[in-house]
Amino acid sequence: MSDTMQGQDPEQVRALAQMLEDGASQLETVKQITSVAVWGFDGAGPNVEQMRGEWESQHAPMLGTVAESLTTYAQRARANADAQDQTSSTYDGGGFPGVSTQGSSNSGGDDDGGVLDWLGDRAGDLWDAGGDAVDWVGDKAGDAAGWLGDRATDLWNVGGDAVGWIGDKGSDALGWLGDRGSDALGWLGDRGSAIGGAFANVGDAGLQLWDATGGAILDGEWPRTTEVIASQFRLAGAVIGLGITAGSSGMLDPKIFDDGDPYADAPRPITQDAKGPNGEPPLTVPKDLENLTQGVTDSYGAGDGNVRVTTIDGPNGPRVIVSVPGTENWNPSAGDNPMDLTGNLVTAGGSRSTMSAAVELAMQNADIPPGAEVMLVGHSQGGMTVADLASDSGFVSQYNVTNAVTFGSPIDSAHIDPSVSVLEMQHRSDVVPRLDLGDARFNPFSPNPVLPGGHNESANHTTVTMDNPGSWYDAGGNHSHEAYSESIKGSSDPGLAAYEQQLRESGFLTNDPSSVTGQDIHVGRNN
C-alpha cells in the first residue's frame, strides 16, 4: 500500500455522467422527432404500415431503453463521485483519530514520524476492520470509470439493433430522418394548400354565378336558365368541398367541382391499318358524315381524356378535323380527366372550362399546318366544348375554324361565331341536347323564373332532328355516340345531305386514304 491513497477523480466521473445524460437526452429527442415524422406524413399502404409497425415495436422502444439506461448510469456515476468525495474527505479531515491531512499526504517528513509510526502500527487493524470498504475505495475505485465504460459498452451491445439502425446505418438514418422532416413540412404545406385551393374554388364558382346572373344583366341580356342552374350547382358543391377540406384541416380534399388547370401531352401517331400501341382504334378515313362521328367514337376508344386530330392533305391545302368525345367520368370530385361532371357544369355555366382549354393545348401540340382550315366535331360534352371554342372569335380566327359539328349536345345557348358553319344533330328523344331548355331565359323576379327562349342560331347554323334509334324511353340508347353514326347512315334528311356535300367540296371529306394521317393527344387537368 502506497503512502498516498489513490482513487477515481470525482470531477472526471461527473463529466462522464453529464455526457451520459446528454446522450440520453439526444436519443429522446431523436425518438420524438422520428415519431412525429413516421406518423405525421401523408402516406398509406402496406409499406407505410410495415414501417410504422417496425418503428413502434422495435426501434422506438429500443431507443427509449437505451436513453433510460444511460440516465441510470449517469446517476450511478454521480453517486460514485459523491462517495469518492466523502471517502477522500474522511481520509483528509481526521475521520481516523490522530491522523491529519498532512499525515496522509506527506511522503515521509521527520516531523510527522510519530504519526506515521502510529499509522503503521495500526494499519493491519485498519484493513482488517474495514477491508471490504477499503478494497472497494482503494484498489477498486480506480477502475470505476473503466467499469462504467464497460457497462456502457454492454448497454450498446444489448441495444445492438437500435445502435445499428442509428450507428452503422447512420447516414441512411439521417437521410431517412431528413426525408421524413421534408415529408412533414411538405405535409403541412399540402394541408394549407388544400384549404387555400378550396377557398379559391368557391371564389371561382361564385364568379361564374355572378357572370351568369348579374354579369349578364350588366351586358344587357337576361340570364340564361341553364347557365344559372349549372353555376348554382357548382357553387353549392364548391361550398360543400370547402367545408370538408377546412373541417378536416386539409386532410380530406375532395376537390368538388374544382376545374384546375389544363395540360396536353405530346401527339401519338395513329395509322389506318392497325391499332395503336395502347390499343387505340385505327384511324378512320373521313369519307362521309358517318365517318366523322366515327372519329369521335374512336377518340372514346383511345382511352380517357383523348382528342384525335385527323389531317387531310388535299389539292386545295390541308384540312384538319379535331374529334372531341363527351363525358367519361361523372364523379363530382374533379380528377385528371377534364371530360367529367365538373367540366360539364363549368361549360354549361357559361365559363371557359379546363376541357376547352385542354383541347386548345392539344391543337397547339398537334402542329396544325399554317393556313389549314379546321373543323371541330364533338359528342355530348365534347359538342359543348366545340361550341364553346367556336364562340371565341379570337380562337376561330387563330385556328381558321370554318366548321363545327355536334351531336347529342346542348348548345342552344352558345354564341357561336357566325363565320363558322354549324351542323347540330340530335335524336328526337335524346334528353341531353334539351338540357339547355332551348336557350330559355331566367327571370329571378318572376314567380315562374324560366322564360321561353329561342334557338340562338345564325343563318350558318343547321339543326337536324333524327328519329330515335330505339324506344323513346331508352335514354342511354338515344344518346349513344354509336347510335348517332347508325342514324346518320340511314337518314335521308336533306339538311344532312346538303351539309355533307359542303364538307366534301371544302376538302374535309375524301376518298383517298393516302392523303389522311392522324394523331391522338391525351389531355388532362392538374389541381
Side-chain angles (χ1 to χ4, degrees):
M1 179 175 168
S2 64
D3 292 328
T4 302
M5 297 296 295
Q6 300 294 324
Q8 62 184 349
D9 184 342
E11 294 308 317
Q12 290 183 359
V13 176
R14 289 191 178 92
L16 174 61
Q18 186 61 49
M19 291 174 62
L20 292 173
E21 282 188 345
D22 291 344
S25 176
Q26 292 173 7
L27 286 177
E28 283 293 342
T29 300
V30 169
K31 177 184 173 184
Q32 293 173 6
I33 293 175
T34 305
S35 291
V36 170
V38 167
W39 290 102
F41 80 100
D42 188 11
N47 292 335
V48 173
E49 295 304 321
Q50 180 182 1
M51 181 265 293
R52 286 172 173 162
E54 291 178 356
W55 169 254
E56 287 298 325
S57 64
Q58 300 177 30
H59 304 305
M62 187 62 70
L63 286 176
T65 299
V66 172
E68 183 179 354
S69 298
L70 287 178
T71 301
T72 300
Y73 285 124
Q75 294 170 348
R76 291 181 183 177
R78 282 203 174 86
N80 185 264
D82 292 342
Q84 178 65 34
D85 281 342
Q86 182 179 1
T87 301
S88 298
S89 175
T90 301
Y91 278 110
D92 290 342
F96 297 97
V99 182
S100 68
T101 303
Q102 289 80 7
S104 64
S105 63
N106 196 311
S107 60
D110 293 337
D111 292 340
D112 293 319
V115 174
L116 293 176
D117 289 342
W118 181 88
L119 180 61
D121 292 340
R122 291 161 180 76
D125 295 338
L126 175 65
W127 292 117
D128 290 340
D132 293 340
V134 172
D135 286 343
W136 189 87
V137 175
D139 297 339
K140 305 299 182 182
D143 297 331
W147 181 86
L148 287 172
D150 291 341
R151 299 295 74 71
T153 300
D154 293 341
L155 174 63
W156 290 116
N157 290 334
V158 170
D161 290 342
V163 173
W165 191 60
I166 297 178
D168 295 341
K169 299 179 180 179
S171 59
D172 292 340
L174 290 175
W176 184 84
L177 288 172
D179 291 341
R180 298 294 77 74
S182 297
D183 289 343
L185 292 175
W187 181 84
L188 291 174
D190 289 344
R191 300 293 74 75
S193 178
I195 295 174
F199 273 105
N201 186 36
V202 171
D204 290 342
L207 287 175
Q208 177 178 313
L209 180 58
W210 164 253
D211 289 339
T213 54
I217 293 174
L218 292 177
D219 289 338
E221 298 182 350
W222 278 114
R224 283 162 166 78
T225 303
T226 300
E227 292 183 358
V228 174
I229 294 175
S231 298
Q232 288 175 332
F233 266 109
R234 185 191 177 195
L235 178 58
V239 170
I240 292 173
L242 173 60
I244 295 173
T245 303
S248 66
S249 299
M251 294 288 290
L252 299 176
D253 185 15
K255 298 185 182 298
I256 298 177
F257 304 149
D258 187 350
D259 206 20
D261 300 310
Y263 73 86
D265 292 338
R268 310 184 308 274
I270 299 297
T271 62
Q272 301 174 26
D273 54 357
K275 290 185 177 181
N278 297 318
E280 301 91 337
L283 180 64
T284 298
V285 176
K287 298 178 181 180
D288 49 31
L289 279 175
E290 179 190 350
N291 293 144
L292 287 182
T293 57
Q294 179 61 43
V296 176
T297 296
D298 293 342
S299 295
Y300 276 111
D304 287 351
N306 190 79
V307 174
R308 178 160 289 193
V309 178
T310 304
T311 302
I312 303 101
D313 289 320
N316 297 321
R319 301 291 186 267
V320 177
I321 303 170
V322 180
S323 302
V324 186
T327 306
E328 296 173 334
N329 185 355
W330 290 97
N331 193 329
S333 179
D336 176 81
N337 189 353
M339 302 173 186
D340 62 358
L341 181 57
T342 299
N344 273 296
L345 291 179
V346 174
T347 303
S351 294
R352 174 58 57 90
S353 68
T354 291
M355 177 59 188
S356 297
V359 170
E360 183 174 0
L361 290 177
M363 294 172 64
Q364 293 177 11
N365 293 353
D367 292 328
I368 295 175
E373 294 184 2
V374 174
M375 175 169 57
L376 307 176
V377 184
H379 169 251
S380 193
Q381 182 187 355
M384 296 167 62
T385 300
V386 165
D388 179 39
L389 293 172
S391 298
D392 183 344
S393 298
F395 176 86
V396 169
S397 175
Q398 179 181 356
Y399 289 97
N400 195 19
V401 178
T402 60
N403 294 80
V405 176
T406 71
F407 51 107
S409 303
I411 66 169
D412 291 339
S413 298
H415 296 275
I416 298 178
D417 191 294
S419 67
V420 178
S421 177
V422 180
L423 172 61
E424 178 186 357
M425 296 178 285
Q426 56 190 16
H427 284 134
R428 196 170 304 281
S429 297
D430 187 355
V431 176
V432 176
R434 277 79 178 179
L435 290 177
D436 52 15
L437 304 178
D439 194 31
R441 303 308 199 258
F442 180 80
N443 183 0
F445 309 106
S446 170
N448 182 15
V450 179
L451 300 177
H455 290 298
N456 182 25
E457 296 183 359
S458 68
N460 213 12
H461 191 126
T462 301
T463 300
V464 175
T465 301
M466 299 178 289
D467 292 334
N468 298 325
S471 302
W472 65 269
Y473 52 81
D474 184 5
N478 292 329
H479 185 61
S480 166
H481 49 90
E482 294 98 336
Y484 272 99
S485 296
E486 292 298 320
S487 295
I488 293 171
K489 181 179 180 181
S491 176
S492 58
D493 188 285
L496 290 181
Y499 199 88
E500 183 174 278
Q501 182 60 31
Q502 174 196 340
L503 293 179
R504 196 175 305 280
E505 292 174 354
S506 60
F508 283 108
L509 302 180
T510 181
N511 291 317
D512 180 13
S514 64
S515 66
V516 181
T517 57
Q519 307 171 85
D520 278 343
I521 303 170
H522 173 75
V523 298
R525 172 197 291 125
N526 290 316
N527 60 6

